[in-house]
Every structure is written in C-alpha cells, then in structure tokens.
Amino acid sequence: MTDRPSWAPRGVDITRANVSRIYDYFLGGSHNFEADREAARSALHSMPGIPAIARANRAVMQRALRFATDRGITQFLDIGSGIPTFGNVHEVVQAARPGARVVYVDNDPVAVAHSRAVLEGNPDATIVAADLRDPQAVLAHPGTRLLDLSRPVALMLVAVVHFLRDTDRPADIIAALRDALAPGSVLVLTHATLDHGPAPAGQRAVQEVYERTPTPLVMRGSAELRPFFAGFDLMEPGIVPLPLWRPDAPEEPYDRAELHGLAGVGVKP
C-alpha cells in the first residue's frame, strides 16, 4: 500500500507519474512521489544528463526574464509553470521590478496546490488551474485578470510545448495567446530536441518513460519551432541550444547534454 503524504491534494493519483513532478525531481525538489521518482530514475539510466538539461532550462529562463524586464515588461504569464522551486519567475522579476505581476498556469493539482502555498500573501502573483491546450480558458480565467492585457506581457512557454502533440495544433494555440497580447509583448519558448543527439536508442528510452504519463514527450527541431514564433520578431541569436542563448559568459563551458534543449525569444511588433 502506498503511503500518501499529508500535503498531497485529494484526488491526485500518486501511483501514476506526472511530468511536473518528474521535472521537480530532476531539479532536486521534494514534491514528487515514488511513481515520479521511479520514472525519473528510468529516464536517467538512459540519459544521465537530464538534470543538466533541467538546470540549463532554468538558467535560460532567468536570462530571458532579464531580457523582458530590461525592456520594461512588468507582467508575466507562465503557462505550464510546474511545481515552485528556487528561482521561479515571480522571485526573479519581483526582485528586478517590485510590483511586477505574475500569473502561473498549470493543470497538475499538485503544482497548483503548492503554488498557492508559496504565493500566499503575495498580491502580485497567483496560480490558475488551466490547460495550455485550451488557451481561451487560460485567458478567460478570473485569475488571469491580474494582468492588464492591453499592456505588454511576457508569455513564458518554458519546457511545456514539447508535451503538445502535433494533433494538438501547438502553433494555433500559441497564435491564440499571441493575438490576445499587446504589441511589445515577449514570447519565451524552450523545447526538447533531437537536433544535437543523443544516440536514438537512449532518446527513445526516455520518450518511452514519458509515454507512461498522461503527456508524452515530443521532440522537435529548430525548423519545427520557427512556426511557433509567427507574428513575433525572433530575437538574436534565434532558436539555439539552451546554453547558447545569450549566455552570461560566452566562453563558459557547458555540459553537452544541455544541447538537447532549444530556446528562442520573440517580440510582438
């Protein structure tokens, strides 16, 4: 019989792995269950560099947030935000610009419950229970009213679009969100890729782990990501591996595993 932690929200199936909680494990978090840890260990067996990818993804997100705040943006819509960990969006942007407003969106009840606990007492940040696959529900949710969509917003799609199948029509989903945003808004997108390896057998084993969750992992290359930036001016250096998107130190070494993720940032003209 599986022991159920007291913090686990009612109705959450703790016997089935979930991508938010697997990612939390990769980042060294504690809000995951044995099913998540088992899936994560299986993925690590095939591809030991996954934690490096997760850290690189968090690092490029923080650099992109600085890009947005340097442009004067004070509103952030983070969809697929996951379980709160150190260095989350509200911590970064509210340190840079006190009063910046952040709306997190996730469809995982564990992520939503813990986000509510972390954000308690913060009037400028909230969590919305909604699904990226239904952009109109995200935009219409009362919690999203924390943002003034007549002013620029940074739309954060960090490590989430690779959980959309082609049949979900991800380009259309992103376009629906884009159309609701004011000129000057920013799109930040990161995505898993096969552009730079690894060996197909190891990658296939990782994908099989995610196929046991409700949201399988879909690999895409930079050419496949470009349509997601339709209606945005793609910023230099374009869609590139995670450690190559505006690194703090251009000559800083990186783990080759970090090349298995792509990052791009666009600005709505």
Side-chain angles (χ1 to χ4, degrees):
M1 183 174 180
T2 303
D3 292 332
R4 187 180 190 86
S6 59
W7 52 263
R10 292 179 180 272
V12 171
D13 183 358
I14 69 173
T15 66
R16 188 175 187 187
N18 171 277
V19 294
S20 294
R21 302 192 297 266
I22 293 172
Y23 190 65
D24 176 69
Y25 178 86
F26 290 146
L27 285 171
S30 59
H31 297 130
N32 46 75
F33 307 121
E34 182 54 34
D36 308 307
R37 294 188 285 272
E38 181 181 352
R41 288 191 292 265
S42 179
L44 288 170
H45 179 75
S46 301
M47 192 172 167
I50 293 177
I53 302 171
R55 292 190 296 270
N57 196 71
R58 179 55 55 98
V60 78
M61 179 194 78
Q62 293 172 350
R63 297 197 299 274
L65 288 172
R66 290 201 302 271
F67 170 85
T69 56
D70 286 348
R71 294 180 64 87
I73 290 179
T74 59
Q75 303 189 107
F76 299 81
L77 178 60
D78 184 358
I79 305 179
S81 52
I83 294 169
T85 55
F86 177 75
N88 250 20
V89 172
H90 73 282
E91 294 176 327
V92 174
V93 301
Q94 290 177 353
R97 290 188 172 271
R101 295 186 171 187
V102 179
V103 172
Y104 292 113
V105 179
D106 209 282
N107 64 354
D108 175 24
V110 172
V112 171
H114 282 282
S115 295
R116 284 180 179 145
V118 167
L119 299 174
E120 186 176 1
N122 187 333
D124 295 317
T126 191
I127 177 70
V128 165
D131 195 310
L132 174 59
R133 284 177 286 260
D134 189 351
Q136 297 306 326
V138 172
L139 294 167
H141 195 285
T144 307
R145 294 175 191 161
L146 183 67
L147 306 179
D148 177 0
L149 298 184
S150 69
R151 295 172 45 236
V153 170
L155 171 61
M156 313 296 295
L157 298 178
V158 176
V160 64
V161 177
H162 50 225
F163 296 118
L164 296 179
R165 304 171 190 261
D166 290 344
T167 53
D168 292 321
R169 304 176 67 89
D172 290 347
I173 289 171
I174 296 171
L177 294 166
R178 177 203 65 213
D179 290 348
L181 302 180
S185 293
V186 169
L187 168 64
V188 177
L189 189 148
T190 70
H191 198 291
T193 187
L194 284 175
D195 274 4
H196 305 279
Q203 186 57 59
R204 180 58 193 153
V206 172
Q207 287 179 282
E208 286 174 354
V209 169
Y210 281 96
E211 283 170 4
R212 298 197 292 270
T213 76
T215 44
L217 183 65
V218 180
M219 297 289 175
R220 296 184 176 96
S222 57
E224 294 169 285
L225 299 192
R226 189 166 291 274
F228 300 163
F229 288 90
F232 293 93
D233 293 334
L234 190 61
M235 297 291 100
E236 292 292 338
I239 301 169
V240 296
L242 300 173
L244 304 185
W245 196 88
R246 303 196 179 191
D248 293 327
E251 303 303 320
E252 186 176 348
Y254 53 81
D255 189 319
R256 285 194 59 81
E258 297 174 28
L259 300 177
H260 304 317
L262 296 171
V265 173
V267 176
K268 182 174 177 178

